Amino acid sequence: MNIARRPFGISLIAAALSLTSSTFVLAQSQPTPGGTLNMLVQPEPPSLMLGLNQLGPTQFAASKIYQSLLTYGPDLKPLPSLAQSWTISPDGLTYAFVLQKDVKWHDGKPFTSADVVFSTDKFLREVHPRTRALMNQRVESVKADGDDKVIFKLKQPFNAFISAFEVSTMPMIPKHIYEGTNYRTNPANNTPVGTGPFMLKEWKRGSYIHLVKNPNYFKPGLPYLDEIYLLVIPDAASRAVAFERGTVDVLRGGDIENFEVRRLEKLPDVVSTRAGWEMFAPPLWLQMNLRKPPLGNKKVRQAIMHAMDRHFIVKNIFFNVGKVATGPITSPTLYYDKNVPTYKYDMALAKKILAQAGIKPGDYSIRVLPIPYGSVWDRMGEYVKQQMEQLGFKVTLDTTDPAGWAKKVSEWDFDMTMTFQYAYGDPAIGTSRNYISANIIKGTPFANNHGYSNPEIDRLFEAAPVVQSADARQRMYSEIQRILVDDVAAGYLTELQYVTLHKKKVRNLITTGIGLNETLDTVWIAK
């Protein structure tokens, strides 16, 4: 080798490598169409018909199939989805939405304003626990103005209404398939038809849900991905191994144990984020059936709160991914107030309160229904059982699958259960449904299933979203939090937090405040 020429040769090689690297970086900074995204769905949802089922796994999987008029940024401000624009009248009573052009259902039928009117004023008003309450209390009428415009008239100003068009709250349902049918038994519930970027190709129960690209999606050039597999892997440890081995590209919060999160997020090809939960910010609470003695006794519920060590729960069950809750509204949410009654962990005090109330715990058998979402929730069930037994109650665990859990809760067939519910950006939408008397409706989950009824709470939840003064709204919501915590309308345990892990090759994954419940139409895979 001619030594004198080495620097030149090296510089050429370096230049070539630099050029190649720059070209690679440039190429990888641009979205690349095609590819398969492998994710998990945990647990397997009972249905993908989002209008009828709003369990978390259903929302996650079906939000690629169905869409709503709006979506929301990390700041919770509305963004276009099936509506390209919208206006709100100065008096706050009229909301007018202009629809996107050339939108088609997956079966090729055009999506029009008639579908919006049917979805919101007929279908969801009848079957959807949140939207039914919203429509019946707040909305005077929904009317089409031509094929591409829809006008909502409210009974009175309702500031939170613009936050109500997230896909799980207002999914658009095809009128031509459901009108005149029994919505709950329509065979199309097994073959969902939406307007979203992905269509259901196959659902092999117990193994996977296979979604494929909608070739007629209304956004030109999207989605980038060809297909999405949502894999069903029941065991948390196996899900972590699948991620390490590259079988899956994404781990949603809750897919694996929190102690595994700390290990996996340190891997060199992994990106970790807590973004994408701004819209939901869910509290975990102990739901007690107030119809069942002695749980209808406020003193008993206060004693139970003193028997729950919430710091222990955050540290040892959720491995510090979360924080102690102070009430029904979580700290990232509008109108949160930390200055509410507190319940310190004090088992002796809890027993003293029961005795003062004249309650002999040994006279009661309590059936605890754990939420069937994996081992962390199994541990929560065991913890609640253990603490209740320390109080002296006889306790049994009533385990079931997600569909069974939803049925038992909706039929009020439980004594105690743990649940978490999404905040949906405003307590008028995500919180009030759990406490207003009008939402004590048998047959639907995620309503006031525990049977709490307080005329003052009904009045405040009715009045707060209507007043124009932000300070007055805050005072009302602060009073709501004070009353609900003092009543122990539910046992507020922790504010849940979630970590999303994904491989670096997965780009553009979290783009809005609804995170992985987004359509994922702009997600792409670096080659």
Side-chain angles (χ1 to χ4, degrees):
M1 177 178 289
N2 186 337
I3 296 176
R5 296 178 62 184
R6 286 185 64 189
F8 180 69
I10 291 173
S11 65
L12 275 178
I13 293 170
L17 287 174
S18 176
L19 179 61
T20 302
S21 177
S22 299
T23 304
F24 177 79
V25 170
L26 179 63
Q28 295 310 290
S29 68
Q30 300 298 319
T32 305
T36 301
L37 182 65
N38 293 299
M39 297 192 289
L40 296 160
V41 61
Q42 156 53 33
E44 187 171 20
S47 169
L48 291 180
M49 207 302 165
L50 189 52
L52 293 171
N53 187 289
Q54 289 82 46
L55 287 171
T58 302
Q59 292 190 27
F60 163 59
S63 56
K64 288 70 188 147
I65 298 171
Y66 293 97
Q67 293 176 290
S68 186
L69 299 186
L70 303 175
T71 187
Y72 299 86
D75 57 2
L76 302 184
K77 292 182 178 177
L79 300 171
S81 184
L82 287 176
Q84 60 175 262
S85 63
W86 56 95
T87 57
I88 305 172
S89 64
D91 62 6
L93 292 174
T94 304
Y95 288 65
F97 293 87
V98 177
L99 306 182
Q100 303 277 5
K101 298 182 183 303
D102 301 322
V103 179
K104 289 184 170 57
W105 296 102
H106 291 163
D107 61 5
K109 301 290 185 182
F111 167 76
T112 73
S113 55
D115 291 302
V116 180
V117 174
F118 170 76
S119 299
T120 57
D121 207 31
K122 301 292 184 184
F123 189 101
L124 300 175
R125 191 190 281 270
E126 177 180 327
V127 303
H128 196 293
R130 289 194 311 281
T131 309
R132 174 178 54 216
L134 179 70
M135 296 297 294
N136 290 340
Q137 293 174 35
R138 309 292 180 183
V139 179
E140 182 69 38
S141 65
V142 188
K143 293 184 178 178
D145 182 7
D147 283 344
D148 66 345
K149 191 172 182 181
V150 180
I151 298 173
F152 291 78
K153 290 278 191 183
L154 305 190
K155 297 176 181 176
Q156 55 189 333
F158 179 60
N159 296 290
F161 192 60
I162 196 61
S163 299
F165 293 90
E166 179 268 338
V167 64
S168 73
T169 304
M170 291 268 194
M172 293 297 110
I173 308 299
K175 176 183 177 183
H176 64 281
I177 292 177
Y178 283 92
E179 186 177 43
T181 72
N182 183 327
Y183 305 150
R184 295 173 180 82
T185 60
N186 191 313
N189 295 338
N190 298 318
T191 55
V193 172
T195 61
F198 296 96
M199 306 184 298
L200 178 64
K201 174 70 173 180
E202 183 183 18
W203 184 354
K204 188 171 183 180
R205 291 189 181 269
S207 295
Y208 59 81
I209 296 170
H210 183 199
L211 307 177
V212 296
K213 179 176 185 173
N214 173 7
N216 299 314
Y217 191 50
F218 72 93
K219 296 182 181 179
L222 298 181
Y224 292 123
L225 296 170
D226 286 335
E227 58 185 353
I228 297 174
Y229 275 94
L230 304 174
L231 306 178
V232 179
I233 301 177
D235 175 64
S238 298
R239 292 193 288 270
V241 170
F243 181 71
E244 283 188 274
R245 293 179 174 176
T247 307
V248 298
D249 305 310
V250 179
L251 291 176
R252 299 172 68 231
D255 280 348
I256 58 173
E257 297 274 10
N258 284 341
F259 65 80
E260 293 274 44
V261 170
R262 294 180 179 177
R263 180 176 66 84
L264 294 179
E265 66 185 355
K266 295 176 182 176
L267 297 178
D269 63 337
V270 170
V271 175
S272 171
T273 178
R274 298 193 182 200
W277 287 91
E278 294 84 359
M279 172 61 77
F280 306 121
L284 161 65
W285 40 288
L286 196 58
Q287 192 171 32
M288 293 171 266
N289 191 337
L290 307 188
R291 307 168 189 85
K292 302 288 187 72
L295 300 175
N297 185 321
K298 172 179 169 177
K299 287 294 183 184
V300 172
R301 300 195 299 274
Q302 291 178 333
I304 290 172
M305 280 304 291
H306 282 297
M308 299 293 158
D309 187 345
R310 294 175 290 161
H311 291 279
F312 176 90
I313 293 171
V314 170
K315 182 178 180 181
N316 295 291
I317 296 180
F318 290 93
F319 294 94
N320 290 318
V321 183
K323 59 187 291 189
V324 171
T326 59
I329 297 176
T330 51
S331 57
T333 309
L334 285 173
Y335 310 118
Y336 169 73
D337 189 338
K338 65 180 180 181
N339 299 311
V340 295
T342 58
Y343 295 91
K344 65 178 181 180
Y345 173 58
D346 189 332
M347 187 61 76
L349 176 59
K351 293 179 179 178
K352 182 179 179 181
I353 292 173
L354 286 180
Q356 290 174 341
I359 297 296
K360 296 180 180 177
D363 292 344
Y364 298 95
S365 294
I366 303 293
R367 192 161 46 103
V368 175
L369 179 68
I371 189 168
Y373 278 15
S375 54
V376 65
W377 300 103
D378 293 341
R379 290 199 299 273
M380 270 303 307
E382 292 287 351
Y383 178 77
V384 170
K385 178 176 184 291
Q386 169 188 300
Q387 298 307 100
M388 291 293 288
E389 286 177 338
Q390 284 196 40
L391 278 177
F393 291 104
K394 302 170 187 172
V395 183
T396 57
L397 291 177
D398 183 11
T399 57
T400 183
D401 60 10
W405 180 88
K407 181 175 175 56
K408 284 176 179 285
V409 172
S410 64
E411 295 295 329
W412 309 341
D413 183 18
F414 68 100
D415 294 339
M416 300 176 72
T417 187
M418 286 73 57
T419 188
F420 58 94
Q421 293 196 356
Y422 294 161
Y424 293 106
D426 193 299
I429 298 173
T431 305
S432 64
R433 58 186 165 134
N434 300 306
Y435 305 103
I436 58 175
S437 302
N439 218 26
I440 301 176
I441 302 170
K442 200 168 189 177
T444 181
F446 311 125
N448 187 347
N449 301 106
H450 45 301
Y452 179 77
S453 182
N454 182 329
E456 180 62 4
I457 286 294
D458 290 342
R459 185 190 72 77
L460 288 167
F461 268 127
E462 176 71 19
V466 176
V467 298
Q468 293 303 303
S469 164
D471 289 342
R473 282 201 299 277
Q474 179 64 67
R475 285 195 295 274
M476 289 181 175
Y477 281 119
S478 291
E479 180 65 3
I480 286 171
Q481 291 168 81
R482 188 195 66 76
I483 293 172
L484 292 179
V485 172
D486 181 64
D487 277 353
V488 194
Y492 308 106
L493 300 178
T494 70
E495 294 184 6
L496 297 181
Q497 296 175 341
Y498 295 102
V499 179
T500 298
L501 304 176
H502 65 87
K503 300 296 176 127
K504 286 183 177 176
K505 67 178 182 178
V506 180
R507 306 294 175 85
N508 231 21
L509 185 65
I510 306 289
T511 58
T512 70
I514 67 172
L516 290 174
N517 282 6
E518 193 51 82
T519 63
L520 306 190
D521 61 2
T522 61
V523 173
W524 57 284
I525 306 288
K527 305 300 182 184

